[in-house]
């Protein structure tokens, strides 16, 4: 073997060694270290906003606060709901759930507790309407009458991850009579509300609540069956700091509209938003924001005894949407006869009456694109009862439960829970918390078959006193959608309200960072 051949072999061996070293030690692609090193940690602060519940003197409102127990949280923390500026707030007895003493210095109390010792110039601190004592146990506050203010809520430390507050109001007579319920929402910059209206029997308000130290500026855009409705009154609305403004929708446009989509677009700052839909004949309820525009939407938890279901949809883009309409029932997916598809024109609100589509079995609507994927928002209006004993509620299209979601203010006799798994079989753990007045937490695991909606039998805390919270945790990767129905019968009229359970966003991905002194030498 000559010298040239030996040199070639040696060179090849050296190159192979270098190549092998590089393959074993090549750096990861950008972002891989961050993704692998990121840790899911509990959030440390959560804000929630509750609108003013009612203007009726007959209103009775309860606020139920709940934080699920979360591993990895700090030992301390607080959570409280206090009145927004400009409104009175009666402190509630959180142990008994009864309204607090409303007597006192009227000049001071009606100013929201802002008066004080004139000589010293000190102001009285606003007392919380609800102040929870520990995660895992609900806290309740109650108020009566039509002057209850909007509430600003903040939870920190161990109370922050998954904090939820339920606002439930009973109104025995008048426009909007029945049961009105809302999960108090987080501040944001954009909201969609398909399902509002300004018809002769409707009195709808959009409530805007500002939690921050500076004023917020917002536009309210309305879309009817023929497209955008011109309104200069809905532009540049200013919501002062720490305050709430109810805007009557009929003052924004002159014409009557049976079905509207309301778009709340915050130009400056951030707000909480919700629509209160009151009907002179059909009762009323809160319309929570629809989930973000998407090509596929799920409207979970339509009650089995619904006598009429009206679907409202809106396509916010420049393209029309063609949707396949299906009902997830306990036995599988069904296509409603005569309503197989829905065509939604771009920029226009489209509605269709589905009748008693559930036919005695609880179900969820599944809307999917028939061809191209065009984002839409959607909601349904549900009626129960007949004749002058009808009552209404709204269900917006919802996001899946995700890792975990909770809903408060349940009792064994008034609450029911619907679970839907459109894409595959799912296992779900449902935990009933301790009661607000006592009891022991209990959990139950359910299996939801692919393409079905199941109304599950709720676990009930042992020795229950008061109300309890439900926490839903999927145990499989299959998306699960959930909705809770509360039902209260007054004088033969079945009042009800429905809340969806999207992910509680109790944790956040936090990349791990290491010290690198080399950056100081560059």
């Amino acid at each position: 073997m000559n010298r040239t051949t030996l040199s070639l072999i040696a060179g090849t061996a050296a190159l192979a060694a270098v190549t092998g070293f590089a393959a074993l030690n090549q750096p990861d692609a950008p972002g891989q270290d961050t993704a692998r090193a990121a840790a899911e940690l509990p959030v440390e602060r959560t804000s929630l906003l509750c609108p003013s519940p009612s203007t009726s003197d007959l209103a009775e409102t309860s606020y139920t606060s709940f934080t699920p127990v979360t591993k990895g949280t700090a030992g301390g923390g607080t959570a409280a709901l206090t009145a927004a500026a400009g409104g009175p707030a009666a402190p509630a007895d959180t142990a008994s759930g009864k309204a607090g003493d409303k007597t006192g210095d009227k000049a001071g109390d009606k100013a929201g507790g802002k008066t004080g010792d004139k000589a010293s110039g000190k102001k009285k601190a606003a007392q919380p309407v609800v102040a929870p004592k520990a995660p895992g146990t609900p806290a309740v506050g109650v108020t009566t009458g039509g002057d209850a203010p909007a509430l600003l809520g903040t939870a920190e430390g161990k109370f922050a991850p998954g904090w939820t507050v339920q606002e439930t109001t009973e109104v025995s007579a008048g426009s909007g009579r029945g049961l009105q319920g809302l999960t108090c929402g987080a501040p944001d910059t954009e909201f969609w509300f398909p399902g509002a209206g300004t018809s002769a029997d409707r009195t709808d308000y959009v409530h805007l609540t500002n939690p921050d130290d500076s004023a917020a500026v917002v536009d309210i855009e309305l879309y009817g069956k023929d497209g955008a409705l011109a309104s200069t009154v809905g532009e540049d609305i200013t919501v002062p700091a720490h305050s709430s403004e109810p805007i009557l929708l009929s003052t924004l446009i002159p014409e009557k509209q049976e079905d509207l989509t309301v778009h709340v677009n915050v130009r400056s700052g951030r707000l909480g938003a919700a629509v209160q839909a009151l009907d002179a004949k059909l009762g009323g309820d809160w319309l929570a924001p629809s989930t973000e525009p998407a090509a596929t939407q799920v409207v979970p938890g339509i009650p089995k005894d619904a006598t009429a279901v009206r679907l409202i949809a809106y396509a916010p883009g420049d393209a029309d949407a063609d949707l396949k309409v299906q009902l997830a029932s306990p036995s599988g997916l069904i296509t409603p006869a005569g309503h197989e598809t829905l065509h939604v024109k771009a920029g226009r609100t489209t509605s269709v009456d589905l009748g008693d589509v559930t036919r005695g079995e609880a179900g969820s609507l599944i809307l999917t694109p028939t061809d191209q994927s065009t984002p839409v928002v959607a909601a349904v209006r549900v009626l129960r009862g007949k004749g002058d004993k009808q009552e209404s509620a709204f269900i917006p299209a919802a996001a899946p439960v995700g890792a975990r979601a909770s809903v408060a203010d349940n009792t064994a006799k008034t609450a029911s829970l619907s679970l839907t798994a459109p894409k595959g079989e799912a296992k779900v753990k449902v935990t009933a918390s301790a009661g607000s007045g006592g009891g022991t937490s209990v959990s139950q695991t359910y299996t939801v078959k692919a393409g079905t909606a199941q109304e599950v039998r709720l676990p009930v805390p042992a020795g229950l006193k008061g109300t309890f919270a439900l926490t839903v945790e999927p145990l499989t990767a299959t998306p699960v959608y959930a909705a809770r129905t509360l039902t209260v019968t007054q004088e033969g009229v079945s009042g009800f309200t429905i809340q969806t359970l999207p992910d509680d966003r109790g944790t956040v991905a936090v990349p791990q960072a290491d010290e690198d002194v080399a950056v100081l030498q560059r």
Side-chain angles (χ1 to χ4, degrees):
M1 187 177 292
N2 58 35
R3 184 172 301 177
T4 303
T5 303
L6 291 173
S7 299
L8 180 60
I9 293 173
T12 302
L15 179 61
V18 172
T19 305
F21 178 82
L24 292 173
N25 295 276
Q26 62 181 342
D28 292 333
Q32 286 187 353
D33 285 341
T34 302
R36 184 170 60 247
E40 290 288 333
L41 300 178
V43 298
E44 298 180 353
R45 181 182 175 89
T46 300
S47 296
L48 293 176
L49 306 171
C50 305
S52 176
S54 179
T55 58
S56 172
D57 292 337
L58 304 176
E60 297 182 2
T61 301
S62 65
Y63 299 95
T64 308
S65 169
F66 176 74
T67 298
V69 176
T70 304
K71 294 181 180 179
T73 56
T78 60
L81 292 164
T82 55
D93 179 352
T94 58
S96 65
K98 296 182 179 180
D101 186 3
K102 294 185 179 180
T103 61
D105 182 357
K106 294 183 179 179
D109 291 345
K110 289 189 176 182
K114 293 183 178 181
T115 61
D117 185 348
K118 294 182 179 179
S120 64
K122 294 181 179 180
K123 297 180 179 180
K124 292 172 63 178
Q127 298 190 45
V129 176
V130 179
K133 296 181 179 179
T137 302
V140 182
V142 177
T143 186
T144 59
D147 60 353
L151 301 180
L152 311 179
T154 302
E156 297 179 335
K158 64 182 180 181
F159 290 95
W163 187 42
T164 185
V165 176
Q166 171 75 16
E167 176 182 298
T168 307
T169 303
E170 292 186 48
V171 180
S172 58
S175 181
R177 54 103 178 101
L179 193 65
Q180 302 172 24
L182 179 71
T183 301
C184 298
D188 207 338
T189 57
E190 186 178 37
F191 305 87
W192 292 96
F193 299 96
T198 57
S199 59
D201 293 328
R202 290 279 288 272
T203 306
D204 286 18
Y205 294 85
V206 56
H207 288 249
L208 306 174
T209 306
N210 181 4
D212 295 328
D213 295 334
S214 58
V217 180
V218 61
D219 292 338
I220 300 177
E221 301 165 349
L222 305 178
Y223 300 90
K225 61 181 181 179
D226 297 320
L229 298 166
S231 172
T232 57
V233 184
E235 298 177 356
D236 293 327
I237 297 174
T238 299
V239 183
H242 304 295
S243 69
S244 186
E245 298 286 345
I247 310 296
L248 181 61
L249 292 183
S250 61
T251 63
L252 302 182
I253 53 173
E255 61 265 41
K256 299 297 183 181
Q257 295 279 334
E258 185 174 7
D259 296 302
L260 284 172
T261 297
V262 180
H263 181 213
V264 176
N265 184 30
V266 185
R267 290 191 186 183
S268 174
R270 56 183 192 145
L271 295 170
V275 170
Q276 190 173 36
L278 308 177
D279 195 292
K281 298 178 181 178
L282 301 175
D285 205 352
W286 288 97
L287 174 56
S290 172
T291 190
E292 294 181 357
T296 296
Q297 295 286 15
V298 177
V299 183
I302 301 174
K304 60 184 178 182
D305 58 350
T307 54
V309 175
R310 187 175 182 85
L311 170 63
I312 306 98
Y314 174 78
D318 297 327
D320 294 357
D322 287 295
L323 301 172
K324 183 179 181 180
V325 180
Q326 292 179 297
L327 179 75
S329 72
S331 57
L333 292 173
I334 341 176
T335 300
H339 302 291
E340 295 83 1
T341 60
L342 180 66
H343 180 71
V344 185
K345 292 185 178 181
R348 301 185 183 186
T349 297
T350 301
S351 59
V352 59
D353 287 318
L354 302 177
D356 57 344
V357 65
T358 55
R359 298 187 180 277
E361 294 183 323
S364 300
L365 280 183
I366 314 295
L367 307 176
T368 55
T370 60
D371 189 6
Q372 67 178 20
S373 296
T374 302
V376 297
V377 292
V380 300
R381 183 182 187 182
V382 180
L383 297 183
R384 295 170 81 181
K386 295 182 179 180
D388 60 356
K389 293 186 178 181
Q390 285 185 303
E391 162 71 324
S392 59
F394 293 86
I395 314 174
V401 172
R404 182 185 66 181
S406 300
V407 64
D409 197 20
N410 305 284
T411 71
K413 294 182 178 180
T414 63
S416 62
L417 179 68
S418 172
L419 301 174
T420 305
K423 295 184 178 180
E425 185 173 285
K427 289 188 177 181
V428 183
K429 177 183 175 183
V430 178
T431 301
S433 74
S436 56
T440 304
S441 175
V442 62
S443 297
Q444 179 71 43
T445 300
Y446 304 92
T447 298
V448 185
K449 295 181 179 179
T452 69
Q454 306 288 337
E455 183 178 314
V456 301
R457 185 181 180 88
L458 293 180
V460 178
L464 172 65
K465 293 182 181 180
T467 64
F468 61 93
L470 290 170
T471 298
V472 178
E473 297 174 275
L475 302 178
T476 51
T478 305
V480 175
Y481 297 80
R484 187 277 313 271
T485 300
L486 289 179
T487 304
V488 176
T489 301
Q490 291 184 337
E491 299 179 1
V493 179
S494 178
F496 73 110
T497 182
I498 303 170
Q499 282 74 54
T500 61
L501 282 76
D503 190 282
D504 65 16
R505 296 183 291 184
T507 60
V508 62
V510 180
Q512 294 183 357
D514 295 324
E515 293 183 3
D516 185 3
V517 295
V519 298
L520 302 177
Q521 301 173 355
R522 294 174 186 171

